[in-house]
Amino acid sequence: MDLTHHNSSLYHIASASKTPERILVTGGCGFAGANFVRYVHAMHPEVNITVLDLLTPAGNLESIKSLLGDGVEFVHGDIRDEALLDHLVPGHDAIVHYAAESHNDNSIANPEPFVKTNVEGTFRLLEAARKYDVRFHHISTDEVYGDLALDDPAKFTEETPYHPSSPYSSTKASSDMLVRAWHRTYGLRTTISNCSNNYGPYQHVEKFIPRQITNIIEGIRPKLYGDGLNVRDWIHTEDHSSAVWTILTTGRLGETYLIGANGERNNLTVLRDILRVMGQPEDAFDWVKDRPGHDRRYAIDSTKLQTELGWRPTHTDFESGLRQTVQWYIDNPQWWRPMKHDTELVYSRRGQ
Ligand code: NAD
Ligand code: TDX
């Protein structure tokens, strides 16, 4: 049963159309969270932002350091820390919940932190939001819907049944269910967004696009899983941020919105694009063993977000976004080099 649609009109009539004055962004030192913090700071400088982040190996304070003290405050801590949340959550108008264990390959190697942060952590935050009556926006992924066949004309919509494949996506699906239940049962003012694959600056070098860019810079051959034909629906992270802001401020409470920008491409094509942009031969990469349970294809239909809330992506030219991203990694080796060696060590031990 889809709880958001079954819900009573009591909560549905409410929309979130009020600009928050002070928001708590969890995971604001990660890739998507830091880009959101940077986006809100640039576009809505009147909004005060508290970032709560544990600084796991995926988090990097450098991504938001230049903003600290200028309407952005950083708190080092765990979203599962109840006492910390009691101290932090009151006084905020909204929580925007990005914090998560986010990498599928890591979830296959060791699922436990994914259950702890993604499920238990979301539960703790929901309880704090309920206790202090704070609006809650949950950041989630299209991976909760499982995968589509390459020849299937369908895309995911808000009505697609949940069918997660990996430990990562199943913990994200679990967290979505908790958010829906807290809305329906307690009337918590929630929204959920499920976004497709982001690309852009400040993404950890464990992820596909930055891994290949930084491999090429370091003289390591890029690595392609399986047959390379798995399709991801790429969206520039700045478009993800603008969509989240739109939903946070104008979305209907209790609703889910899918975020995507018609960016379907298979991995082989993306890798060849990267090689071409970086002046390398298109076959200068290694085929490596596939990811277990590897989802075949993701594709998002964002009609609801576009028609109901009027959101539009602005980075619609993938190659130009990719060129900008390549340039960012070339210009910012001090940001990614400290994590590169250990990341590749983990991959080489897995034969990937
Ligand atoms: P990321 O791994 O780059 O960042 C996650 C951040 O969360 C890190 O800064 C980390 O330190 C922090 N964190 C982890 N556990 C924590 C804890 N227990 N307490 C406090 N902070 C903790 O991830 P990302 O790619 O930026 O993804 C962020 C969110 O966006 C996730 O919820 C993910 O599911 C969602 N999402 C990401 C994408 C994408 O393509 N990157 C697409 C759709 C949805
Ligand atoms: O070296 C690689 N070679 C390769 O072929 C890596 C790291 C990945 N891949 C493939 C696997 C995927 O088909 O590239 C594709 C993208 O891989 P990831 O960057 O690991 O992303 P994905 O697993 O699709 O998940 C991402 O998008 C959805 C984010 O990591 C998730 O947090 C988000 O929910």
Side-chain angles (χ1 to χ4, degrees):
M1 187 194 307
D2 183 339
L3 298 182
T4 56
H5 291 277
H6 184 75
N7 203 357
S8 82
S9 59
L10 178 63
Y11 308 123
H12 268 213
I13 47 173
S15 96
S17 59
K18 182 175 171 285
T19 303
E21 287 170 16
R22 185 169 200 90
I23 61 176
L24 176 62
V25 180
T26 70
C29 296
F31 165 50
N35 275 287
F36 178 74
V37 169
R38 299 184 73 85
Y39 173 85
V40 175
H41 181 264
M43 304 299 287
H44 307 281
E46 71 285 4
V47 177
N48 288 293
I49 304 170
T50 309
V51 170
L52 170 60
D53 199 297
L54 189 57
L55 296 179
T56 69
N60 191 342
L61 189 55
E62 293 300 321
S63 306
I64 57 162
K65 208 165 203 171
S66 62
L67 315 182
L68 297 182
D70 184 20
V72 179
E73 188 194 338
F74 172 67
V75 176
H76 184 209
D78 194 325
I79 55 168
R80 293 187 300 142
D81 183 340
E82 212 179 328
L84 176 63
L85 295 182
D86 272 331
H87 170 71
L88 212 53
V89 169
H92 289 90
D93 311 310
I95 296 171
V96 186
H97 176 33
Y98 279 90
E101 287 290 339
S102 71
H103 191 33
N104 274 299
D105 292 325
N106 293 345
S107 83
I108 295 164
N110 180 19
E112 188 165 345
F114 289 73
V115 175
K116 287 188 168 154
T117 285
N118 301 359
V119 184
E120 188 190 336
T122 301
F123 161 72
R124 284 283 162 228
L125 276 173
L126 284 166
E127 283 293 80
R130 177 161 82 98
K131 192 165 171 185
Y132 300 106
D133 187 24
V134 175
R135 162 102 173 82
F136 191 95
H137 179 72
H138 182 57
I139 305 295
S140 192
T141 169
D142 57 359
E143 298 191 18
V144 300
Y145 300 113
D147 61 353
L148 299 160
L150 294 183
D151 60 357
D152 187 343
K155 297 183 177 209
F156 299 138
T157 73
E158 288 79 4
E159 316 304 325
T160 304
Y162 274 44
H163 201 248
S165 316
S166 72
Y168 162 68
S169 55
S170 60
T171 59
K172 291 299 293 187
S174 308
S175 64
D176 291 10
M177 293 301 160
L178 293 175
V179 176
R180 290 174 180 211
W182 261 242
H183 171 71
R184 174 163 170 157
T185 306
Y186 303 117
L188 191 68
R189 292 172 294 137
T190 63
T191 40
I192 300 174
S193 54
N194 297 80
C195 188
S196 61
N197 283 60
N198 286 212
Y199 73 98
Y202 302 103
Q203 186 169 28
H204 195 286
V205 294
E206 68 192 355
K207 303 289 173 26
F208 179 57
I209 289 180
R211 183 182 184 204
Q212 315 313 338
I213 295 171
T214 55
N215 272 3
I216 294 168
I217 296 172
E218 296 287 76
I220 304 168
R221 280 166 74 85
K223 311 285 186 236
L224 192 64
Y225 293 175
D227 64 6
L229 299 182
N230 302 63
V231 170
R232 297 295 181 262
D233 189 353
W234 294 100
I235 181 173
H236 194 281
T237 188
E238 198 173 283
D239 285 330
H240 185 191
S241 296
S242 70
V244 168
W245 180 258
T246 301
I247 298 164
L248 177 69
T249 53
T250 65
R252 281 189 298 142
L253 298 178
E255 292 289 316
T256 288
Y257 295 90
L258 264 54
I259 306 173
N262 293 323
E264 278 189 71
R265 267 176 182 70
N266 72 38
N267 296 336
L268 179 59
T269 307
V270 172
L271 181 52
R272 285 189 173 142
D273 286 348
I274 294 170
L275 287 161
R276 195 180 53 255
V277 163
M278 297 184 74
Q280 303 292 312
E282 288 198 348
D283 61 352
F285 66 88
D286 294 333
W287 300 93
V288 294
K289 72 174 186 194
D290 209 354
R291 172 184 284 173
H294 198 175
D295 278 340
R296 199 56 167 159
R297 170 176 163 249
Y298 306 137
I300 287 275
D301 176 349
S302 65
T303 303
K304 177 177 174 183
L305 175 61
Q306 301 215 22
T307 53
E308 206 177 274
L309 305 185
W311 172 83
R312 295 281 181 281
T314 58
H315 296 269
T316 46
D317 178 351
F318 179 75
E319 177 148 341
S320 126
L322 187 63
R323 278 182 190 282
Q324 272 179 16
T325 305
V326 168
Q327 195 60 52
W328 189 87
Y329 283 91
I330 290 171
D331 292 343
N332 291 280
Q334 77 294 346
W335 185 88
W336 55 264
R337 222 166 239 142
M339 47 185 122
K340 183 65 183 169
H341 178 262
D342 286 356
T343 304
E344 285 307 309
L345 201 61
V346 169
Y347 276 123
S348 69
R349 285 188 184 134
R350 289 183 198 149
Q352 290 181 315

